[in-house]
Amino acid sequence: MRGIVSVLMAAGLLAAGTARANGCPERLRISFPDAPAEPFLRGQGDDFARPPGLLVDWVRAALRETGCLERAELLRLPARRVRAMVEAGQLDLVAGVGEGGPIAALLTLPPQVGPKGEFDFSLGHVDYAFYARRGLVGGRVDGDGLPVLPPKARVGVSAGTRAEVLAQERGWPVDPAPSHESALQKLLAGRTPLLLVHTYHLDERLRQEPALAREVVRFGPVVERRRLHVGALPAFARSENGFVLKLWRELCRQSQAAKADGACRLPPAGSGG
């Protein structure tokens, strides 16, 4: 038994040494949202669906290309727990971050590079829009076609997300819910007249779930478009700068190969970007 343990320990040390030789971090904890966001994330909760979605596929493929896949621990977590773990330094990378949100403000995001910022490492575009119960669509709209809320009405949002910040920036009173799903249930129950959420969460569900589509419809134009990233904790980005830059470039290549929505624009080879 002692010999077997020695062999296993030696194998572990060899793997660790190989990982460091490849420039892999000692620890690599990566969080993903626990809510569905088709086609980037499939399924809901702390388990990864099969297939898990484009974002998970891209992260795994990028880690494989860097030689660090075996190092990585992938987690699906609610937004509030992600924020708490980021603030405690318990994560290294956060996948599926829309710029401008509360969690994004705590992270280092890939920079736009080039003389005019024309090269972009983002993995997709995130649109935020209103949804309403189908029978209640209507009412006053402003000059941009966005709804004017009735007196004392509040917009449903998920707490700790870009949607909550966006609503507050626009002066819309909010009714925060713990998750996207609970915010949707408030809408269906009539507790909020409108739900503001990114379209990845609901548009594909409305296409695939006829019962839901009979009750909920998107209302008005897109309120805002933001870029989607894999962000790094600032301390991790500093200490593992080479790895993080390499990972961002490889993620960009994966996004380009999938032709998801054309968000990623890599600098020419040899440009230093």
Side-chain angles (χ1 to χ4, degrees), residues 58-73:
W58 295 344
V59 169
R60 285 174 174 165
L63 290 169
R64 190 176 298 112
E65 288 297 320
T66 62
C68 301
L69 179 59
E70 292 185 358
R71 277 280 182 187
E73 180 184 4

Side-chain angles (χ1 to χ4, degrees), residues 127-143:
D127 291 336
Y128 293 86
F130 280 114
Y131 295 83
R133 286 179 293 161
R134 185 175 291 277
L136 298 180
V137 172
R140 295 172 54 208
V141 296
D142 63 17

Side-chain angles (χ1 to χ4, degrees), residues 1 4 19 27 33 63 71 77-78 114 207 219-220 225 265-266 272:
M1 176 63 72
I4 295 175
R27 188 194 75 173
L63 290 169
R71 277 280 182 187
L77 302 168
R207 284 190 286 269
F219 179 39
R225 167 168 281 197
R265 294 284 184 274
L266 269 175

Side-chain angles (χ1 to χ4, degrees), residues 160-245:
T161 65
R162 173 60 192 166
E164 182 178 26
V165 174
L166 174 58
Q168 292 168 342
E169 289 175 348
R170 298 294 185 98
W172 297 321
V174 297
D175 184 355
S179 67
H180 293 333
E181 187 62 29
S182 56
L184 174 60
Q185 292 306 314
K186 283 187 176 184
L187 177 74
L188 293 171
R191 294 171 59 188
T192 51
L194 293 166
L195 169 63
L196 180 61
V197 70
H198 61 75
T199 59
Y200 288 129
H201 180 67
L202 270 185
D203 278 7
E204 187 64 23
R205 287 185 64 182
L206 293 177
R207 284 190 286 269
Q208 294 184 2
E209 301 178 27
L212 183 61
R214 286 193 292 269
E215 295 189 66
V216 176
V217 64
R218 194 203 285 195
F219 179 39
V222 168
V223 179
E224 180 181 77
R225 167 168 281 197
R226 291 279 176 160
R227 294 176 299 160
L228 182 73
H229 296 285
V230 172
L233 268 69
F236 183 79
R238 290 191 297 269
S239 64
E240 302 290 348
N241 181 256
F243 166 77
V244 171
L245 291 175

Side-chain angles (χ1 to χ4, degrees), residues 5 18 79 126 138 169 183 189 195 249 258:
V5 172
T18 301
V126 185
E169 289 175 348
L195 169 63
R249 289 188 67 94

Side-chain angles (χ1 to χ4, degrees), residues 23 33 49 79 103 112 144 148 185 206 235 252:
I103 294 176
Q112 287 183 273
D144 296 323
V148 176
Q185 292 306 314
L206 293 177
C252 188

Side-chain angles (χ1 to χ4, degrees), residues 42 52 86 116 118 150-151 159 169 194 199 248 261 263:
R42 303 185 188 279
V86 167
K116 299 179 180 178
E118 64 269 36
E169 289 175 348
L194 293 166
T199 59
W248 280 340
D261 71 359

